[in-house]
Amino acid sequence: MEVERALAFLRALTLAGAAEHQDVPAGTLLRSPAEPQAYVANQLLVDDGGALDARTCIDLLDDLQRGLGHRRAYVQDDATGERLCSALRPYGWGGGAEVVMALPPGAVVERSDAVAADTDRLQAIVARTDTEAGLPVSV
């Protein structure tokens, strides 16, 4: 149950971060015309990927995200995500998993001795993450 709440929160946060959204076949399209390079604010949230195969997904994204320098779809359902990711790889598409961890109710979080990363370290992490996801390096 905690994971579902965390996922619902992340979805609400993602929707709030886009300038506009609309229902489309397979899900919800997010757009932020003033920020075309903002991947998360310009993506398709796939709600019903059952009918999507690789070619249909590519055609849908090409149509919906025309004019952007990227194509991005977020699939919350693990089985659908794995199926589409595997099917899209032969077309040169990248993809990856997002891990969500949730604490049980009443969990006590101990204070951490973690040290904040400096700007250079954070930029290196972003560059590596973008590269692993098959995205152009953004830093």
Side-chain angles (χ1 to χ4, degrees), residues 29-33 35-44 58 60-74 93 133-136:
L29 179 65
L30 306 184
R31 291 183 196 252
S32 292
E35 301 172 287
Q37 295 303 318
Y39 284 69
V40 174
N42 293 282
Q43 67 175 321
L44 174 64
I58 291 168
L60 179 63
L61 292 174
D62 280 348
D63 181 49
L64 295 175
Q65 297 178 332
R66 183 173 289 116
L68 296 176
H70 70 274
R71 302 290 183 262
R72 180 178 167 103
Y74 175 83
W93 286 58
L135 302 172

Short mmCIF file of all heavy atoms in Angstrom, two decimals, residues 29-33 35-44 58 60-74 93 133-136:
data_model
loop_
_atom_site.label_atom_id
_atom_site.label_comp_id
_atom_site.label_asym_id
_atom_site.label_seq_id
_atom_site.Cartn_x
_atom_site.Cartn_y
_atom_site.Cartn_z
N LEU A 29 -0.92 12.91 -21.98
CA LEU A 29 0.19 13.64 -22.58
C LEU A 29 0.47 14.89 -21.76
O LEU A 29 -0.44 15.66 -21.47
CB LEU A 29 -0.17 14.04 -24.02
CG LEU A 29 0.89 14.84 -24.76
CD1 LEU A 29 2.15 14.01 -24.99
CD2 LEU A 29 0.33 15.36 -26.07
N LEU A 30 1.73 15.07 -21.39
CA LEU A 30 2.17 16.26 -20.67
C LEU A 30 2.92 17.15 -21.64
O LEU A 30 3.75 16.67 -22.41
CB LEU A 30 3.09 15.90 -19.51
CG LEU A 30 2.58 14.89 -18.50
CD1 LEU A 30 3.58 14.71 -17.37
CD2 LEU A 30 1.22 15.30 -17.95
N ARG A 31 2.63 18.45 -21.58
CA ARG A 31 3.33 19.42 -22.43
C ARG A 31 3.68 20.65 -21.62
O ARG A 31 2.90 21.10 -20.78
CB ARG A 31 2.45 19.87 -23.59
CG ARG A 31 2.18 18.83 -24.62
CD ARG A 31 1.35 19.46 -25.74
NE ARG A 31 0.75 18.45 -26.56
CZ ARG A 31 1.13 18.18 -27.80
NH1 ARG A 31 2.11 18.84 -28.34
NH2 ARG A 31 0.53 17.25 -28.49
N SER A 32 4.83 21.19 -21.92
CA SER A 32 5.27 22.47 -21.38
C SER A 32 5.97 23.21 -22.52
O SER A 32 7.19 23.15 -22.64
CB SER A 32 6.20 22.27 -20.18
OG SER A 32 5.49 21.72 -19.09
N PRO A 33 5.18 23.88 -23.38
CA PRO A 33 5.74 24.51 -24.57
C PRO A 33 6.89 25.48 -24.30
O PRO A 33 7.79 25.61 -25.12
CB PRO A 33 4.54 25.23 -25.19
CG PRO A 33 3.35 24.49 -24.69
CD PRO A 33 3.73 24.03 -23.31
N GLU A 35 9.14 25.10 -22.15
CA GLU A 35 10.30 24.32 -21.73
C GLU A 35 10.41 23.04 -22.55
O GLU A 35 10.26 21.93 -22.01
CB GLU A 35 10.20 23.97 -20.25
CG GLU A 35 10.09 25.18 -19.34
CD GLU A 35 9.78 24.76 -17.92
OE1 GLU A 35 8.64 24.34 -17.66
OE2 GLU A 35 10.70 24.84 -17.09
N PRO A 36 10.69 23.13 -23.85
CA PRO A 36 10.67 21.93 -24.70
C PRO A 36 11.75 20.91 -24.36
O PRO A 36 11.60 19.74 -24.69
CB PRO A 36 10.88 22.50 -26.11
CG PRO A 36 11.54 23.82 -25.90
CD PRO A 36 11.01 24.34 -24.60
N GLN A 37 12.81 21.31 -23.68
CA GLN A 37 13.86 20.36 -23.31
C GLN A 37 13.62 19.70 -21.95
O GLN A 37 14.41 18.87 -21.53
CB GLN A 37 15.24 21.05 -23.33
CG GLN A 37 15.65 21.50 -24.71
CD GLN A 37 15.68 20.35 -25.72
OE1 GLN A 37 16.14 19.25 -25.42
NE2 GLN A 37 15.17 20.61 -26.91
N ALA A 38 12.57 20.08 -21.28
CA ALA A 38 12.24 19.47 -19.99
C ALA A 38 11.56 18.13 -20.24
O ALA A 38 10.36 18.07 -20.50
CB ALA A 38 11.34 20.41 -19.17
N TYR A 39 12.34 17.07 -20.19
CA TYR A 39 11.83 15.74 -20.54
C TYR A 39 10.61 15.34 -19.72
O TYR A 39 9.63 14.84 -20.24
CB TYR A 39 12.94 14.69 -20.35
CG TYR A 39 13.97 14.72 -21.44
CD1 TYR A 39 14.87 15.78 -21.56
CD2 TYR A 39 14.08 13.67 -22.34
CE1 TYR A 39 15.83 15.80 -22.55
CE2 TYR A 39 15.05 13.69 -23.34
CZ TYR A 39 15.90 14.75 -23.44
OH TYR A 39 16.84 14.77 -24.42
N VAL A 40 10.67 15.54 -18.41
CA VAL A 40 9.59 15.09 -17.54
C VAL A 40 8.33 15.92 -17.76
O VAL A 40 7.22 15.42 -17.61
CB VAL A 40 10.03 15.14 -16.06
CG1 VAL A 40 8.89 14.82 -15.12
CG2 VAL A 40 11.18 14.15 -15.84
N ALA A 41 8.48 17.18 -18.17
CA ALA A 41 7.32 18.05 -18.41
C ALA A 41 6.76 17.90 -19.81
O ALA A 41 5.76 18.52 -20.14
CB ALA A 41 7.70 19.50 -18.14
N ASN A 42 7.39 17.07 -20.64
CA ASN A 42 6.97 16.83 -22.02
C ASN A 42 7.09 15.33 -22.30
O ASN A 42 8.06 14.87 -22.88
CB ASN A 42 7.84 17.62 -23.00
CG ASN A 42 7.66 19.11 -22.87
OD1 ASN A 42 6.69 19.66 -23.35
ND2 ASN A 42 8.60 19.76 -22.20
N GLN A 43 6.11 14.58 -21.84
CA GLN A 43 6.17 13.13 -21.98
C GLN A 43 4.77 12.55 -22.02
O GLN A 43 3.79 13.23 -21.75
CB GLN A 43 6.96 12.52 -20.82
CG GLN A 43 6.28 12.66 -19.46
CD GLN A 43 7.03 11.93 -18.37
OE1 GLN A 43 7.54 10.84 -18.57
NE2 GLN A 43 7.11 12.54 -17.20
N LEU A 44 4.72 11.26 -22.36
CA LEU A 44 3.47 10.52 -22.32
C LEU A 44 3.49 9.61 -21.10
O LEU A 44 4.41 8.80 -20.94
CB LEU A 44 3.30 9.67 -23.59
CG LEU A 44 2.10 8.72 -23.61
CD1 LEU A 44 0.79 9.51 -23.56
CD2 LEU A 44 2.15 7.82 -24.83
N ILE A 58 6.07 4.12 -31.08
CA ILE A 58 6.91 5.09 -31.78
C ILE A 58 6.05 6.06 -32.58
O ILE A 58 6.24 7.28 -32.53
CB ILE A 58 7.93 4.38 -32.68
CG1 ILE A 58 8.96 3.65 -31.82
CG2 ILE A 58 8.62 5.36 -33.62
CD1 ILE A 58 9.84 2.67 -32.58
N LEU A 60 2.91 6.85 -32.16
CA LEU A 60 2.13 7.68 -31.24
C LEU A 60 2.99 8.81 -30.68
O LEU A 60 2.60 9.98 -30.68
CB LEU A 60 1.56 6.82 -30.11
CG LEU A 60 0.75 7.55 -29.04
CD1 LEU A 60 -0.50 8.17 -29.64
CD2 LEU A 60 0.38 6.58 -27.92
N LEU A 61 4.20 8.47 -30.22
CA LEU A 61 5.09 9.50 -29.66
C LEU A 61 5.54 10.49 -30.73
O LEU A 61 5.63 11.69 -30.46
CB LEU A 61 6.29 8.85 -28.97
CG LEU A 61 5.96 8.07 -27.70
CD1 LEU A 61 7.19 7.36 -27.18
CD2 LEU A 61 5.36 8.97 -26.64
N ASP A 62 5.82 10.00 -31.94
CA ASP A 62 6.20 10.92 -33.02
C ASP A 62 5.07 11.91 -33.30
O ASP A 62 5.31 13.09 -33.53
CB ASP A 62 6.54 10.15 -34.29
CG ASP A 62 7.94 9.56 -34.28
OD1 ASP A 62 8.74 9.93 -33.39
OD2 ASP A 62 8.23 8.73 -35.16
N ASP A 63 3.85 11.43 -33.27
CA ASP A 63 2.71 12.30 -33.50
C ASP A 63 2.50 13.28 -32.34
O ASP A 63 2.36 14.48 -32.55
CB ASP A 63 1.45 11.45 -33.71
CG ASP A 63 0.23 12.31 -34.00
OD1 ASP A 63 0.31 13.20 -34.87
OD2 ASP A 63 -0.81 12.09 -33.35
N LEU A 64 2.50 12.77 -31.12
CA LEU A 64 2.20 13.59 -29.96
C LEU A 64 3.33 14.54 -29.58
O LEU A 64 3.08 15.62 -29.03
CB LEU A 64 1.88 12.69 -28.76
CG LEU A 64 0.63 11.84 -28.87
CD1 LEU A 64 0.52 10.92 -27.66
CD2 LEU A 64 -0.61 12.71 -29.01
N GLN A 65 4.58 14.15 -29.85
CA GLN A 65 5.71 14.96 -29.40
C GLN A 65 6.45 15.61 -30.57
O GLN A 65 7.61 16.01 -30.43
CB GLN A 65 6.65 14.10 -28.54
CG GLN A 65 5.95 13.64 -27.27
CD GLN A 65 6.81 12.74 -26.41
OE1 GLN A 65 7.69 12.04 -26.88
NE2 GLN A 65 6.52 12.75 -25.11
N ARG A 66 5.77 15.75 -31.70
CA ARG A 66 6.34 16.43 -32.86
C ARG A 66 6.82 17.82 -32.44
O ARG A 66 6.15 18.51 -31.69
CB ARG A 66 5.29 16.54 -33.96
CG ARG A 66 5.81 17.16 -35.24
CD ARG A 66 4.79 17.10 -36.36
NE ARG A 66 4.66 15.70 -36.81
CZ ARG A 66 3.56 14.97 -36.70
NH1 ARG A 66 2.47 15.49 -36.19
NH2 ARG A 66 3.53 13.73 -37.14
N GLY A 67 7.99 18.20 -32.91
CA GLY A 67 8.53 19.51 -32.58
C GLY A 67 9.46 19.51 -31.39
O GLY A 67 10.17 20.48 -31.17
N LEU A 68 9.45 18.44 -30.62
CA LEU A 68 10.39 18.33 -29.51
C LEU A 68 11.66 17.63 -29.99
O LEU A 68 11.64 16.90 -30.96
CB LEU A 68 9.79 17.52 -28.35
CG LEU A 68 8.57 18.10 -27.65
CD1 LEU A 68 8.06 17.13 -26.60
CD2 LEU A 68 8.90 19.45 -27.02
N GLY A 69 12.74 17.84 -29.30
CA GLY A 69 13.99 17.18 -29.65
C GLY A 69 14.13 15.82 -29.00
O GLY A 69 15.20 15.22 -29.03
N HIS A 70 13.06 15.32 -28.40
CA HIS A 70 13.13 14.02 -27.72
C HIS A 70 11.76 13.34 -27.79
O HIS A 70 10.77 13.96 -28.15
CB HIS A 70 13.54 14.20 -26.26
CG HIS A 70 12.47 14.86 -25.42
ND1 HIS A 70 12.33 16.22 -25.33
CD2 HIS A 70 11.47 14.34 -24.67
CE1 HIS A 70 11.31 16.51 -24.53
NE2 HIS A 70 10.76 15.38 -24.13
N ARG A 71 11.78 12.09 -27.43
CA ARG A 71 10.55 11.31 -27.25
C ARG A 71 10.66 10.64 -25.89
O ARG A 71 11.71 10.07 -25.56
CB ARG A 71 10.38 10.23 -28.33
CG ARG A 71 10.37 10.76 -29.75
CD ARG A 71 9.08 11.55 -30.01
NE ARG A 71 9.01 12.02 -31.38
CZ ARG A 71 9.34 13.24 -31.76
NH1 ARG A 71 9.82 14.11 -30.89
NH2 ARG A 71 9.22 13.61 -33.02
N ARG A 72 9.61 10.71 -25.09
CA ARG A 72 9.67 10.10 -23.76
C ARG A 72 8.29 9.56 -23.39
O ARG A 72 7.28 10.24 -23.55
CB ARG A 72 10.12 11.11 -22.72
CG ARG A 72 10.19 10.54 -21.31
CD ARG A 72 10.68 11.58 -20.34
NE ARG A 72 10.47 11.17 -18.97
CZ ARG A 72 11.41 10.71 -18.16
NH1 ARG A 72 12.65 10.60 -18.59
NH2 ARG A 72 11.14 10.37 -16.93
N ALA A 73 8.31 8.34 -22.89
CA ALA A 73 7.10 7.73 -22.34
C ALA A 73 7.46 7.13 -20.99
O ALA A 73 8.54 6.58 -20.81
CB ALA A 73 6.57 6.64 -23.27
N TYR A 74 6.55 7.26 -20.06
CA TYR A 74 6.73 6.69 -18.72
C TYR A 74 5.64 5.66 -18.53
O TYR A 74 4.45 5.95 -18.65
CB TYR A 74 6.61 7.79 -17.66
CG TYR A 74 6.68 7.26 -16.25
CD1 TYR A 74 7.91 7.01 -15.66
CD2 TYR A 74 5.53 7.00 -15.52
CE1 TYR A 74 7.98 6.51 -14.37
CE2 TYR A 74 5.59 6.50 -14.23
CZ TYR A 74 6.82 6.26 -13.66
OH TYR A 74 6.90 5.76 -12.39
N TRP A 93 15.93 2.69 -29.34
CA TRP A 93 15.41 3.40 -28.18
C TRP A 93 16.09 2.89 -26.91
O TRP A 93 16.38 1.71 -26.79
CB TRP A 93 13.91 3.20 -28.06
CG TRP A 93 13.12 3.98 -29.07
CD1 TRP A 93 13.24 3.90 -30.42
CD2 TRP A 93 12.12 4.94 -28.80
NE1 TRP A 93 12.36 4.76 -31.02
CE2 TRP A 93 11.65 5.40 -30.05
CE3 TRP A 93 11.56 5.44 -27.65
CZ2 TRP A 93 10.65 6.36 -30.16
CZ3 TRP A 93 10.56 6.39 -27.76
CH2 TRP A 93 10.12 6.85 -29.00
N ALA A 133 20.55 6.25 -19.79
CA ALA A 133 19.16 6.25 -20.26
C ALA A 133 19.09 6.49 -21.77
O ALA A 133 18.00 6.51 -22.33
CB ALA A 133 18.34 7.30 -19.52
N GLY A 134 20.24 6.71 -22.40
CA GLY A 134 20.26 6.96 -23.84
C GLY A 134 19.86 8.37 -24.21
O GLY A 134 19.48 8.65 -25.35
N LEU A 135 19.96 9.29 -23.25
CA LEU A 135 19.58 10.68 -23.48
C LEU A 135 20.83 11.51 -23.78
O LEU A 135 21.92 11.14 -23.37
CB LEU A 135 18.91 11.25 -22.24
CG LEU A 135 17.67 10.53 -21.72
CD1 LEU A 135 17.24 11.09 -20.39
CD2 LEU A 135 16.55 10.64 -22.74
N PRO A 136 20.64 12.64 -24.45
CA PRO A 136 21.79 13.53 -24.62
C PRO A 136 22.21 14.05 -23.24
O PRO A 136 21.36 14.31 -22.39
CB PRO A 136 21.26 14.67 -25.49
CG PRO A 136 19.80 14.55 -25.49
CD PRO A 136 19.44 13.16 -25.09
#
